[in-house]
Amino acid sequence: MDIQLKRGLLDVCVLSAIKSEESYGYKIIKDVKPCIELSESTLYTILKRLESADMLTVRTAEHGGRLRKYYRITDAGIKRIEDFKTEWKEILSIYQFVTREDENDDED
């Protein structure tokens, strides 16, 4: 898969995982697991990128005697999810165009 496309998909998955409530690293990994495997190092790279793009905010709070970072989606992050939904319709249209010959081959 193209690395830029995959990066965009991972960003949207992470944003979607925190869309309804703030969350923290381990929980985000657990929440996206049914969709995609995500390592901690990959997740934290994504989170830093999304924070730099103002798509999420971060707060630190103590939990169980340790500091934990909590991530919350911003309006820009919600807009990115909505933009993705629109883009995905175009991607599906392209996919259907590319695979139309495969469907015709199956009918023969």
Side-chain angles (χ1 to χ4, degrees):
M1 178 182 291
D2 177 72
I3 191 71
Q4 291 300 100
L5 178 59
K6 187 171 185 176
R7 178 180 290 169
L9 293 172
L10 291 173
D11 288 357
V12 173
C13 285
V14 170
L15 289 169
S16 294
I18 62 174
K19 184 178 177 183
S20 61
E21 64 181 354
E22 71 177 8
S23 193
Y24 55 94
Y26 177 75
K27 185 169 183 326
I28 295 169
I29 289 172
K30 196 170 104 177
D31 290 344
V32 301
K33 191 172 187 171
C35 173
I36 192 163
E37 286 288 325
L38 199 57
S39 69
E40 281 187 48
S41 61
T42 300
L43 174 64
Y44 288 108
T45 300
I46 292 167
L47 291 170
K48 283 183 181 276
R49 182 171 58 244
L50 293 173
E51 182 183 9
S52 294
D54 295 323
M55 291 187 202
L56 57 82
T57 59
V58 183
R59 75 174 178 90
T60 304
E62 189 174 328
H63 178 80
R66 295 178 51 182
L67 290 179
R68 178 185 280 175
K69 288 185 176 183
Y70 290 89
Y71 301 89
R72 179 180 299 272
I73 196 166
T74 64
D75 289 342
I78 291 170
K79 183 178 181 328
R80 178 63 196 113
I81 292 171
E82 294 306 314
D83 290 348
F84 170 79
K85 290 176 184 177
T86 301
E87 293 163 3
W88 191 250
K89 290 176 187 171
E90 184 178 354
I91 292 169
L92 284 176
S93 178
I94 293 168
Y95 175 81
Q96 290 169 345
F97 177 78
V98 169
T99 61
R100 75 186 188 287
E101 290 178 5
D102 296 340
E103 292 170 6
N104 291 336
D105 290 345
D106 291 342
E107 292 174 4
D108 293 337

